Every structure is written in C-alpha cells, then in structure tokens.
Amino acid sequence: MMPNDEPQIAELDLDAYVDDQLTGPQRSDVEAYLARRPQAAARVMRDLALRRDLGRALAPPPAPRPLLGAARRLAAARRRDARLRRMLRLVPAAMLVGMGWLAHAGLGPLVVSQGQASAPPPALVTAALSAHEVSLLRLSMASQPGIARLDPAEMRAATGIVLPAFDPSWTVRDAQVFPSPQGPGIEILFEAPGLGQVSHFAVRAGSFGVTLPHLQKTPGQGVAWFQIGETAHVLIAGADKAEAVLAASRRLSDTLY
C-alpha cells in the first residue's frame, strides 16, 4: 500500500511537469512519484523529447544581421503568438490537446502555475570541473598514463550510471571513476573534432529528474549539463566552444531516451 501522505499525482500533473508549469515543490512531488514508477517515468521522458522536438520545429530561424532591426519591431507580434506555441508544446499527441490546455489553466489535483526552471546544482558542476582539471593534469604526466579503454557496461554495473552513446569520432584519452559529493562519478576525457579536449562527467543525482541540456555560466570553460532519470551529465570544453558543447549535449541526451 502507498503511504497515506503520498501526493496524489494525476495525468494532468504529469502533462504540466512536461510543460514546466509546476512550482518547485510540485515538481519534487512529481519526481518522487516517477522515481517509484519506471513506466510512468519512461512515458514522461518520451513526452519531454517530443516537446523538445516540437519546440525546435516551431522556433523561428535566426534573422540575418541586416534584418535585426525589423526583428525587434516584430517582437510584439511574436509575443501574441507565445500562448499558442506554449499550448502546442504541451501536446504529446493530438488526442491530448484538451488535457494539455487544462493543465496549462491550472485544473487538477495540483494547482498549476508558471514556475521557473530548477536552478543548476552547483555541487554537480563543481565536481565536474574538478574532475576535468584532474583529467588534464593526468594527461600531462608521463607517470599517469591515460586509460583509453571504455566499457560502459562494466561502469554501469559498478556505479549504476548509464552513459550516453558517444560520437564514434571522439577518441577516448582517459576514463576514471571520480569521487564527488553525490558519490562515485565517471569522468571521461575525449579528443573530439570541433571541440578539442572535452570531458564528460556523469554522476547519480540522488533524485529523479529530466532537465534538458543548457549552458552553465562558468569563467574560462564552456559547460553544459543535463539530467535524464537519476543520472546527471556535464560536458566541458574550452570557453570558446560553449555553443558547440551545448549542441553536443543535446545529441548525447537524445541517446538516453
């Protein structure tokens, strides 16, 4: 039997979670619910992937520089379309249009309101930056040869961390289990075309969550992070590679759905 104090989560609440329409405490309730229900969690991940793809499809193409002035004048008109586009992003399938609208309006067991995305976890990013620095230090030392063999199955069995499918053109320079405040993490240093030396750090976050890739402002580094399920991932390269790191993070996250 479920605990009496377990939050009552309905389908509308899951739809609101997908559309980022919940407050922090409400998101926590939904994530606790999903952490105990793998099938529901898988459905939410699929819906988030569809929402992301719809968002990319609906996004207007970048304006050429000579048209930037005109683009600013059109900003007010675009804002009028924002509500319609938010509703379209809600839709995981055509038959859920009505349910998505209800979730956006705040109906259901949870009172849904516009909320801000959860703040990036500083400890995770700090641990990833430390692991990145150690990897670069090891690479520069003749007495500390890098480990170029990567066995994702063995690492998952030892740490419970699911690694994404990395680009075959990326060359592994070193792979280590690295300690962090969240527990053992996996630090992999690559040589990647277009990115140079790039490291991927993965660690179990301690709770279920789905956060799409986004940049983390960090002096001197290009850093992007995301979370799929119970594992968080951080990608780090040079400061001039920030946008390329974000694009690479999106490709990696796609392999985990």
Side-chain angles (χ1 to χ4, degrees):
M1 295 179 62
M2 297 185 196
N4 292 332
D5 59 349
E6 180 175 88
Q8 296 300 308
I9 304 299
E11 290 294 318
L12 293 180
D13 302 321
L14 298 181
D15 290 337
Y17 180 89
V18 169
D19 200 48
D20 196 21
Q21 296 295 308
L22 299 179
T23 63
Q26 290 169 342
R27 289 184 65 85
S28 297
D29 287 344
V30 171
E31 289 168 358
Y33 172 87
L34 293 174
R36 294 188 290 273
R37 293 165 176 82
Q39 290 184 343
R43 173 230 148 165
V44 167
M45 289 185 186
R46 289 193 300 269
D47 289 354
L48 280 162
L50 180 57
R51 173 182 179 271
R52 177 204 58 216
D53 293 340
L54 283 172
R56 291 177 184 174
L58 291 170
R65 287 191 176 275
L67 299 179
L68 288 180
R72 292 190 186 99
R73 291 192 295 270
L74 290 174
R78 288 180 178 175
R79 281 195 295 271
R80 290 196 299 268
D81 294 334
R83 180 178 176 83
L84 174 60
R85 285 165 51 182
R86 283 198 300 272
M87 290 176 67
L88 287 174
R89 287 196 296 268
L90 252 177
V91 183
M95 66 182 296
L96 294 180
V97 171
M99 292 178 64
W101 184 87
L102 290 174
H104 182 73
L107 302 180
L110 293 180
V111 177
V112 178
S113 60
Q114 179 67 36
Q116 297 295 324
S118 300
L124 168 66
V125 174
T126 300
L129 289 169
S130 297
H132 178 71
E133 292 174 1
V134 170
S135 292
L136 294 179
L137 180 62
R138 279 173 49 83
L139 195 65
S140 68
M141 299 172 64
S143 62
Q144 298 289 314
I147 299 174
R149 178 175 175 269
L150 180 61
D151 188 337
E154 180 184 45
M155 290 184 167
R156 180 175 183 176
T159 64
I161 294 172
V162 180
L163 293 174
F166 296 105
D167 190 321
S169 67
W170 292 15
T171 302
V172 178
R173 302 297 301 276
D174 197 13
Q176 294 286 331
V177 175
F178 193 86
S180 77
Q182 293 78 27
I186 297 176
E187 165 71 8
I188 309 170
L189 184 65
F190 295 94
E191 192 72 34
L195 286 170
Q197 289 182 338
V198 56
S199 69
H200 174 272
F201 181 76
V203 67
R204 290 177 65 84
S207 62
F208 180 92
V210 180
T211 303
L212 300 181
H214 62 275
L215 291 175
Q216 169 70 29
K217 292 183 179 179
T218 305
Q221 302 285 356
V223 180
W225 77 275
F226 60 94
Q227 181 175 340
I228 305 295
E230 295 185 348
T231 304
H233 306 259
V234 184
L235 207 62
I236 303 174
D240 60 333
K241 307 294 184 183
E243 292 301 325
V245 164
L246 179 59
S249 294
R250 288 170 176 162
R251 291 192 295 270
L252 292 177
S253 70
D254 287 345
T255 70
L256 293 169
Y257 286 104

